[in-house]
Amino acid sequence: VSGLRPGFYYALGGAPRRGKTNLMLRLATLVARNEKIPVLYYSYEQTRHVLLTRVLSQETLINPLILQTGDIRSNTELVNRFNRGIREASTYMDNLYLFEGDRQDTIEHIRGVAYGTMEAHHADRCAIFLDYLQKVPTVSPYSSLQKQVDEVSGLIAQLSTELQSPIMAASSFDKEGCRMDSDSSKDRPTMFNCTGGGDIEYDADVVFILVKDFHDTTQLTEKIANAVREGTVNPHRIPHFDILNLYVDKNRDAPEGGNVIVQFLFLIEDNQMIELGCKDIEERYSYAKAGKIFEWLLERGYLEAVGPGEH
């Protein structure tokens, strides 16, 4: 997606449990690690403990549930993963601030926190992530969620320009948008399928829509099922996954022309989103791509090859 640009407001729309938080957390940690600037991540749904567990899950490749409730000390492989992940996380944790958003965390309050954090870091910029936009409070409450979103979205656009820092805000689909993000729908959702979507689309510099690619997910599922039937893959070591399409519906200052769709393999249990590259919208046959992903899963140990008689 060409990197996060100073002063740009990024809007990310998607259905619940589609991977928005995972994608934003990965971007947040990459900015904190690579740019060495303060990164403020506000979640209005999850606690700091849960957010930290998800960050550690991405670095350790250990399921968040195991990190929270399991004893990994008796498993050498998990201990090694955990230690490697902690070392990776320690390189950027001083720059990453995780907040449990509440009624005081309006855009005006976040503005003050951003300036204070930049001053403490002697930095001239930062990055802010808001998860998610419809729950960001306003100083004066609105009777209409539509009006609240309109104000919040406009303030985000102003703040990103004022700070000359990127701000990314997730936005959840309404019921119709969630219905459209299904294998039975002929149309895909857009930012207009979010509450306040028209205002968000207008205010944002870049608009992303994250949806499941049911066709490509089915192709990979069938490829794995065939391998199980042939007895070449352990049927008890099949990861839960989706193939996701990240549509770039708006990209201010980008060259004209072309539909940009970035594909990800979402390994749900490990909170991992593996970039597969851009999707060819003219592509008719994706079984060869499914084969490449299948081989990648084998090489990384997500699938376990078995010999004759082992299964």
Side-chain angles (χ1 to χ4, degrees):
V1 296
S2 79
L4 301 182
R5 283 168 275 181
F8 266 47
Y9 165 22
Y10 295 81
L12 171 66
R17 297 179 298 280
R18 191 54 84 212
K20 299 187 301 298
T21 298
N22 280 296
L23 179 59
M24 294 221 303
L25 279 173
R26 174 48 68 193
L27 289 171
T29 56
L30 286 172
V31 172
R33 184 205 318 259
N34 297 333
E35 301 301 318
K36 306 292 190 297
I37 62 171
V39 176
L40 283 57
Y41 194 104
Y42 283 83
S43 175
Y44 292 84
E45 287 194 306
Q46 300 181 8
T47 66
R48 289 181 62 201
H49 177 74
V50 170
L51 288 173
L52 180 58
T53 302
R54 294 180 74 162
V55 169
L56 291 177
S57 173
Q58 290 184 340
E59 297 294 357
T60 62
L61 304 183
I62 300 175
N63 189 306
L65 186 61
I66 295 176
L67 285 174
Q68 290 188 54
T69 62
D71 184 359
I72 68 171
R73 289 173 293 184
S74 59
N75 187 314
T76 303
E77 180 187 352
L78 292 184
V79 169
N80 290 336
R81 284 193 198 178
F82 184 80
N83 289 336
R84 284 197 301 269
I86 288 294
R87 285 195 297 270
E88 284 296 319
S90 67
T91 63
Y92 59 77
M93 287 307 292
D94 287 345
N95 298 322
L96 182 62
Y97 294 82
L98 303 175
F99 297 93
E100 297 175 31
D102 58 27
R103 287 301 309 170
Q104 75 164 2
D105 291 309
T106 62
I107 295 299
E108 290 85 349
H109 180 78
I110 292 171
R111 176 180 180 272
V113 173
Y115 274 112
T117 307
M118 287 192 295
E119 182 178 357
H121 281 256
H122 305 290
D124 60 358
R125 58 200 170 100
C126 65
I128 301 173
F129 294 81
L130 305 173
D131 189 5
Y132 59 95
L133 192 153
Q134 281 77 11
K135 289 203 170 185
V136 178
T138 51
V139 173
S140 300
Y142 282 97
S143 58
S144 163
L145 180 58
Q146 173 80 36
K147 292 180 179 178
Q148 177 179 323
V149 170
D150 185 12
E151 177 179 320
V152 169
S153 182
L155 290 173
I156 291 172
Q158 292 174 22
L159 184 59
S160 62
T161 302
E162 177 184 340
L163 295 175
Q164 274 302 289
S165 299
I167 299 179
M168 177 173 279
S171 182
S172 189
F173 289 152
D174 56 21
K175 290 183 179 179
E176 177 64 13
C178 292
R179 185 197 66 76
M180 292 173 69
D181 186 11
S182 69
D183 56 355
S184 60
S185 176
K186 295 182 180 179
D187 300 309
R188 71 167 178 88
T190 69
M191 191 56 70
F192 289 91
N193 295 110
C194 301
T195 301
D199 298 305
I200 300 169
E201 178 97 18
Y202 176 80
D203 293 326
D205 299 290
V206 180
V207 171
F208 295 129
I209 299 296
L210 188 64
V211 297
K212 181 174 177 176
D213 190 316
F214 287 90
H215 176 267
D216 286 4
T217 300
T218 299
Q219 291 279 290
L220 181 56
T221 301
E222 291 177 355
K223 175 71 176 177
I224 295 173
N226 289 337
V228 169
R229 283 192 292 270
E230 293 166 0
T232 59
V233 164
N234 184 348
H236 306 296
R237 285 281 301 274
I238 309 297
H240 293 94
F241 63 86
D242 283 328
I243 293 181
L244 306 178
N245 290 337
L246 183 71
Y247 289 85
V248 185
D249 280 356
K250 177 182 178 182
N251 192 359
R252 187 166 291 160
D253 297 339
E256 292 290 335
N259 293 318
V260 179
I261 308 169
V262 183
Q263 282 198 313
F264 293 90
L265 171 65
F266 182 23
L267 296 166
I268 297 169
E269 291 163 325
D270 284 352
N271 281 288
Q272 292 293 307
M273 296 186 71
I274 313 301
E275 187 176 330
L276 301 175
C278 289
K279 179 180 175 70
D280 181 1
I281 60 174
E282 302 297 330
E283 178 183 69
R284 293 190 177 186
Y285 305 102
S286 57
Y287 210 67
K289 177 167 60 181
K292 291 180 180 178
I293 301 172
F294 177 85
E295 293 300 326
W296 186 92
L297 290 169
L298 277 175
E299 291 171 4
R300 299 303 192 283
Y302 288 102
L303 294 173
E304 183 182 78
V306 297
E310 291 184 45
H311 60 286

